[in-house]
Amino acid sequence: MNHIFNKRFNRYEGDLENMYLSIYGHQFDISCKFNAYIKCRLVHSIDDSVIEPDQIFVMTSDKGFVWFQPFTFFANLLVKDDTGIHVLLFVDISGGHTMKIVFDSTDWVMNYLDNSSLFKCIVYGPSGLMEYSTGIGYFENDIPYLKLYHHTKNEVKDLILGSNKMLASFWNIQGTKKMKNIHYCYFTSLDKILKPMDLNQIAMASDGIIRFCVDNFDLPFVSEEKDYSKYPDKILELKVYRESTVNRIGTLEFFIDSTILSPRHLWKHMPQNQLCYYEICMPYIYRIGVKPGEFIKFGNGVIKRTANVMVMDYQIIGLATNVDGLMAPNDEENTTFIFKMELLDKNMNIIDFWFNNTNTDQFSNKNVILQEFDR
């Protein structure tokens, strides 16, 4: 999420003239039980490993589901006993609600080409859980397809529909730097872009700036000067693509193979007197990487895996206690916060792997290709 404050329980969004409060996890109702699936991956730094929840799918029919994009999640809890290996995750979703997710190593279903795994799971949440879903989707050949949107000008929309293909952009996620070795097609779970805050959610802004605040710092909102430059070590003023909502009224809808979506970058939060947790950076942005200068093709509103798709084998997890850490997931050039994915073969179970390789270095021996930028 793009906010002036990035605290889990007390978050301000937008500027001082147009500010509203969003509180993650304040509706802590986990009284109802749902059968579901979770798509997740295992990533490593030099001294840390994390199981990151990608999406959660609650079935509505034989193949159809509603899906949930986690906004934040607490550090993993894994327990091994005589009955097996048990995983407990708490994730925050829309509407201030929280999901409790439980599954075992025996709930493993399959691995995907993006080095993610699918597990059966039990979800605990509110009785009206479906109302807080991110979108709809379906399974085809065991692969989850998600409904996502691309917003552009009407004339560009017509060109895309007429050609059944989209040219990937050389711009990075901020829209401020050109990529060299990978280009992206951008999508979002937002069905409309109507207000300036909607632009912020897709890394754009009418004034070209989105501001982020480090953990454990309270900005004095009583100041009328709005001079954020007074706090260079506390507030990140991120330059993003300058845009207007009038240029995003042409909407295209697609069902997209979720295994071709690029992995999401994260922030790691360490608030005082609270538990450590992770936040998905720009959770409303989804992108498909392809070889430079190439197209994404689609048919009947469906985007499937093609040979030119590129999925990087690493993620950036910036430490939100400092400005450099806040910057890292956004401009992607700060590579000191890299986590490398566990590369999966067909039969590998990431939960078993975790316990079989406890207290070992799973970072140094992995070689990954980093994104390259024009200087």
Side-chain angles (χ1 to χ4, degrees):
M1 301 283 280
N2 304 314
H3 320 282
I4 192 75
F5 266 164
N6 51 16
K7 295 183 178 180
R8 182 173 182 269
F9 297 106
N10 186 19
R11 174 186 298 269
Y12 290 92
E13 306 185 354
D15 55 31
L16 298 184
E17 291 89 356
N18 182 24
M19 182 174 64
Y20 61 92
L21 184 65
S22 174
I23 304 175
Y24 285 157
H26 72 288
Q27 301 281 358
F28 195 76
D29 177 2
I30 54 173
S31 58
C32 295
K33 178 179 176 181
F34 303 85
N35 293 318
Y37 293 88
I38 181 170
K39 182 175 180 285
C40 55
R41 56 173 54 88
L42 177 62
V43 296
H44 311 278
S45 70
I46 192 67
D47 54 7
D48 196 9
S49 294
V50 179
I51 293 176
E52 179 218 344
D54 216 357
Q55 290 96 30
I56 298 98
F57 315 111
V58 177
M59 305 305 295
T60 55
S61 66
D62 218 17
K63 297 291 184 180
F65 57 73
V66 296
W67 61 279
F68 297 82
Q69 177 60 61
F71 292 153
T72 74
F73 61 96
F74 283 115
N76 311 146
L77 177 61
L78 284 80
V79 177
K80 185 175 184 179
D81 60 21
D82 293 339
T83 65
I85 302 173
H86 315 286
V87 183
L88 171 63
L89 296 175
F90 285 95
V91 305
D92 291 326
I93 59 171
S94 297
H97 290 279
T98 297
M99 276 185 175
K100 174 185 173 183
I101 303 171
V102 294
F103 58 99
D104 296 338
S105 57
T106 57
D107 290 319
W108 175 78
V109 178
M110 64 184 303
N111 295 333
Y112 294 120
L113 292 176
D114 65 344
N115 293 307
S116 67
S117 300
L118 186 72
F119 287 84
K120 295 179 182 178
C121 65
I122 301 296
V123 165
Y124 296 88
S127 58
L129 180 67
M130 305 302 193
E131 299 175 27
Y132 307 103
S133 64
T134 305
I136 61 172
Y138 59 85
F139 280 99
E140 181 179 301
N141 298 324
D142 297 320
I143 293 175
Y145 282 74
L146 311 181
K147 187 174 186 180
L148 295 170
Y149 304 88
H150 179 78
H151 304 288
T152 184
K153 297 179 181 179
N154 276 326
E155 54 268 31
V156 176
K157 173 184 175 180
D158 293 339
L159 289 172
I160 293 172
L161 290 176
S163 63
N164 284 330
K165 62 184 181 182
M166 297 176 62
L167 177 63
S169 170
F170 51 66
W171 292 111
N172 69 339
I173 200 166
Q174 295 169 256
T176 58
K177 297 179 183 178
K178 294 182 179 180
M179 314 285 298
K180 288 177 62 177
N181 61 341
I182 185 171
H183 290 175
Y184 287 104
C185 289
Y186 288 88
F187 304 88
T188 179
S189 55
L190 299 176
D191 59 352
K192 291 182 176 63
I193 304 297
L194 300 176
K195 299 178 180 179
M197 185 58 66
D198 297 334
L199 287 173
N200 289 174
Q201 305 302 339
I202 56 172
M204 299 179 183
S206 56
D207 63 354
I209 296 288
I210 300 177
R211 295 177 179 88
F212 299 86
C213 178
V214 301
D215 290 343
N216 307 315
F217 173 69
D218 291 328
L219 180 69
F221 280 103
V222 294
S223 171
E224 292 296 326
E225 298 177 36
K226 310 183 189 74
D227 186 3
Y228 302 108
S229 63
K230 289 181 177 179
Y231 312 97
D233 62 336
K234 302 296 184 184
I235 294 175
L236 168 65
E237 293 195 292
L238 182 71
K239 293 183 179 179
V240 295
Y241 188 79
R242 188 187 294 268
E243 183 58 295
S244 168
T245 56
V246 299
N247 293 324
R248 301 287 158 179
I249 59 175
T251 298
L252 297 107
E253 302 179 3
F254 300 99
F255 283 98
I256 300 178
D257 176 347
S258 63
T259 72
I260 65 174
L261 296 172
S262 293
R264 323 296 292 281
H265 299 318
L266 307 166
W267 285 299
K268 183 177 182 179
H269 291 284
M270 301 180 69
Q272 290 178 347
N273 303 318
Q274 295 182 35
L275 295 175
C276 160
Y277 68 97
Y278 296 86
E279 179 182 2
I280 309 298
C281 179
M282 306 292 184
Y284 295 100
I285 296 177
Y286 300 81
R287 53 185 182 168
I288 302 172
V290 296
K291 298 175 182 178
E294 297 197 4
F295 292 84
I296 289 289
K297 297 182 180 180
F298 61 90
N300 299 317
V302 178
I303 299 178
K304 298 189 174 186
R305 179 178 289 274
T306 52
N308 64 342
V309 166
M310 298 177 64
V311 179
M312 293 298 187
D313 295 330
Y314 73 96
Q315 294 170 262
I316 296 172
I317 305 185
L319 189 59
T321 55
N322 60 75
V323 170
D324 287 343
L326 286 180
M327 173 69 82
N330 294 286
D331 73 2
E332 298 176 288
E333 284 190 277
N334 187 340
T335 57
T336 61
F337 296 92
I338 282 183
F339 277 62
K340 298 177 183 178
M341 292 181 199
E342 188 58 47
L343 306 181
L344 308 182
D345 60 36
K346 184 177 181 181
N347 297 312
M348 181 177 172
N349 188 312
I350 59 173
I351 310 303
D352 291 333
F353 180 88
W354 182 304
F355 277 88
N356 292 337
N357 294 273
T358 303
N359 297 324
T360 59
D361 180 2
Q362 296 298 318
F363 181 87
S364 301
N365 62 347
K366 290 180 171 62
N367 296 317
V368 298
I369 298 174
L370 301 179
Q371 295 176 113
E372 297 175 1
F373 298 78
D374 280 343
R375 300 292 180 178

